[in-house]
Each structure stands twice: as C-alpha cells, then as structure tokens.
Amino acid sequence: MISIKTQQEIEIMRKAGRITANARKLAGDMVKPGVTTREIDEAVHDYILSQGATPSFLGYGGFPGSACISVNDVVIHGIPGELVIQEGDIVSVDVGAYWHGFHGDCAATFAAGTIDEESRKLIRVTRESFFAGIQFARRGCRVSDISHAVQEYVEANGFSVVRDFVGHGVGEKLHEEPEVPNFGKPGRGPRLMPGMVIAVEPMVNAGTFEVRVMADRWTTRTADGRRAAHYENTLLITEGEPEILTVTEGPTNEYIQV
C-alpha cells in the first residue's frame, strides 16, 4: 500500500532529508585521491549520529556500512573498505538517515581530481535525467511518466539506464511502495498524489544497461566494465511542483534552480 504522509510526518521527513543531504555533501567533499572509502563511511556515520539520527543503511539486510560507496564500474551498493580513491576515479555515494521514525535517502556521483570527458558527461547526464524525470512528479501523473522521461533523456545522450534496480517510496521504511523504475512506457503505474514521498534515482551506465552482482551479494558492477553514475533525491508530491526533501539547508528547492 502506498502511504500518504501527514503534514507532521512531512516536517519530520524534511529534517531527515536535510541530515541525509548534509551527509551526502560531506562525503562528496571528501572524494579526493588518497582517501579510502572507509574514511568517507566513518565520517558519514559520525555526522549522522551527531544529528541525533541513525544511518539507514547500517545493518540493513546485513549491509556493513553507513553509506554505499561505489567506484567507477560499481553502479550501486559498494561496500566501504580499504580501497584508496585514485586520481580520475568517479565515486557514487548513497546515504540514508533515520530520524524520529522516518528516512531520508539520496545519492550523487563525484569526481576525484581531473576526470575524462566521458565520465564528466556521464555524471552530468545522470543528474540532469533526474530533473527531466521530476517534471512529471506532479499530481495526476503516473509513476511511469517519470520513468519514461528519465530513460528518454539518458538514451538521447548515448548512455543506458539500469533495469535491475529502481527507485521507491520512502517513509517509515527505507523502501516502500511504489517502485519507481528509470525506464518504461509512460501512462502506467499508480497515479501520483499529494503527500506521496518517493526516491527518484537514475542509475546510468556508459555502456550496456546490464549489471552483475558480485559474490558479496551487494557490490553491483556494470556487465561490460564501463563506468556508471547515480543520482537520487527524496521527493514530496505536492499540489504543484515537487519538493526535494534531501536539500542541505533552508527552504531552497533545487528543482527551481535547474
């Protein structure tokens, strides 16, 4: 069942979202050559706890980190460890924070030093496809209207969208209904209604959309070894334009700025 959040719950989710977005920014600022993915994870963990929240991912389904940190051809669910980030790497960081009974969830891909032109375009197109999709995150549209817009934008720019993993509802649980794919025909799936909260998260590959899950059952790589990028925000459906809940400060809505 899709939950419709009350005004009180939305206020809590705004706070959870702000903590989550601040953790993403902290992690992104740390993406530099010579830093290990464990160091980033520890900083995310400590920051979230300092805000009176808990990391949504830590222990979720047995996941051992507070953030998913995915480097180069790792699409999602990279496990933090002793991997040292190198000049030219691209690093996707996915974080969640649980505050007063509700979750925030967001992700972005960051450059370590100077990166090649294709990687730069990949990161840019992935982020832009999110904003192309949420043009349809409005009352009366259907979930797949978002999905179709993301796919169309990504493929028009020469990349592919992952099909094995999708966005989702967010609330008291980290993953709720409905699923929000990044591909498909428009006009399908549940209608969007004010009070729904969803995570829209394009996962975009430079080459094939196919992926491989590694033996650890978490790390998910592109099937062809080419690079991937990830961008995600938690989004509130309103009577008008959607509101991004995973913003770093104040009432600024990133949707308006793009």
Side-chain angles (χ1 to χ4, degrees):
M1 179 181 296
I2 298 172
S3 68
I4 302 298
K5 275 63 176 181
T6 67
Q7 193 57 47
Q8 181 180 13
E9 291 170 338
I10 290 167
E11 287 300 325
I12 294 171
M13 293 198 73
R14 286 192 178 110
K15 175 64 174 179
R18 190 153 47 247
I19 294 168
T20 307
N22 287 340
R24 174 178 59 184
K25 182 180 186 303
L26 170 66
D29 290 344
M30 291 182 67
V31 172
K32 293 180 173 64
V35 176
T36 68
T37 56
R38 186 183 305 281
E39 289 172 323
I40 296 173
D41 184 68
E42 289 173 349
V44 166
H45 174 270
D46 292 347
Y47 171 76
I48 291 173
L49 291 185
S50 78
Q51 300 302 300
T54 55
S56 299
F57 298 173
L58 185 59
Y60 183 85
F63 189 76
S66 296
C68 299
I69 305 178
S70 306
V71 180
N72 294 335
D73 67 322
V74 179
V75 185
I76 51 171
H77 301 162
I79 297 173
E82 302 312 313
L83 178 67
V84 178
I85 296 169
Q86 305 293 321
E87 178 79 20
D89 284 347
I90 62 172
V91 182
S92 298
V93 181
D94 190 356
V95 296
Y98 183 69
W99 189 78
H100 287 212
F102 288 85
H103 294 272
D105 190 6
C106 66
T109 303
F110 304 93
T114 303
I115 61 174
D116 63 83
E117 184 57 38
E118 181 180 68
S119 296
R120 189 177 299 110
K121 180 182 178 184
L122 178 64
I123 293 172
R124 175 179 59 80
V125 168
T126 301
R127 184 179 184 278
E128 289 173 351
S129 73
F130 167 87
F131 289 98
I134 70 168
Q135 298 291 329
F136 298 92
R138 296 172 177 272
R139 181 186 188 119
C141 290
R142 293 190 181 272
V143 167
S144 74
D145 296 336
I146 300 172
S147 310
H148 179 73
V150 170
Q151 181 181 14
E152 192 172 55
Y153 190 89
V154 167
E155 293 180 352
N157 281 278
F159 298 130
S160 63
V161 290
V162 171
R163 285 147 167 80
D164 289 4
F165 298 89
V166 298
H168 51 89
V170 186
E172 293 180 278
K173 296 180 180 179
L174 181 59
H175 295 97
E176 297 183 350
E177 294 182 18
E179 290 192 341
V180 186
N182 296 303
F183 65 97
K185 296 181 179 179
R188 299 182 177 182
R191 287 199 183 275
L192 300 173
M193 298 294 295
M196 290 175 61
V197 178
I198 57 175
V200 177
E201 53 175 317
M203 292 157 272
V204 179
N205 295 347
T208 178
F209 66 81
E210 295 177 334
V211 298
R212 298 176 296 136
V213 179
M214 300 293 99
D216 61 25
R217 297 190 297 176
W218 287 107
T219 306
T220 302
R221 297 181 180 273
T222 59
D224 58 8
R226 295 181 69 184
R227 291 185 169 190
H230 186 192
Y231 189 78
E232 174 187 21
N233 281 305
T234 301
L235 194 73
L236 170 67
I237 307 302
T238 74
E239 292 288 354
E241 294 179 343
E243 178 186 349
I244 295 174
L245 301 181
T246 40
V247 291
T248 53
E249 58 184 23
T252 303
N253 190 331
E254 191 179 1
Y255 175 80
I256 296 170
Q257 296 177 346
V258 173

